[in-house]
Amino acid sequence: LPSLESQRYVTHCYDGFLECEYSHSFLFFQNPLVVFSSNMFAILGLRSLYTILSKAADELEYLETAVAIILGFIGSKMIAEYFGVIVPTEASLAVVLSLLGGGIGLSLWEQGKEDKES
């Protein structure tokens, strides 16, 4: 696991990146409430999600694999949309939820199997 100091460094660098992104978003949106609220929700959501995933990744063996496949799917979807193939939002959500649920479920099943053997 990374040291606490390196995690703090990465967090501060990420905060600096978000501040730069925040200042540029005023170029695209005229309503400051939209800019502020979207950035605040992103900061709060990503930090809490990172904390949850980092703690869960230690216990759930297949979670990182599931997240990697999800990122590959989302990247493929973006490339497909560039070429005119539209993937419905409902289908994308179903794929993401099933992959995430499958990774978590398989990890819990493996843990249960190991507990019974020992």
Side-chain angles (χ1 to χ4, degrees), residues 6-112:
S6 64
Q7 289 177 355
R8 285 183 184 159
Y9 177 74
V10 169
T11 302
H12 290 298
C13 289
Y14 182 70
D15 287 344
F17 170 74
L18 285 177
E19 288 175 20
C20 293
E21 180 185 357
Y22 179 75
S23 63
H24 287 99
S25 57
F26 278 108
L27 297 173
F28 300 106
F29 299 106
Q30 299 299 320
N31 188 349
L33 178 64
V34 172
V35 175
F36 178 75
S37 61
S38 66
N39 282 294
M40 290 312 298
F41 285 133
I43 291 169
L44 294 173
L46 290 176
R47 282 212 178 148
S48 62
L49 183 61
Y50 174 76
T51 303
I52 291 169
L53 283 177
S54 66
K55 290 181 181 179
D58 294 336
E59 297 177 15
L60 301 174
E61 181 180 353
Y62 298 106
L63 181 63
E64 290 180 6
T65 305
V67 170
I69 295 171
I70 289 170
L71 291 174
F73 168 73
I74 292 171
S76 301
K77 179 184 167 196
M78 291 171 68
I79 292 170
E81 287 181 358
Y82 177 76
F83 290 108
V85 178
I86 303 299
V87 180
T89 303
E90 295 83 8
S92 297
L93 187 59
V95 168
V96 168
L97 290 177
S98 63
L99 285 170
L100 194 58
I104 292 170
L106 186 60
S107 297
L108 293 175
W109 183 65
E110 286 285 329
Q111 284 179 357

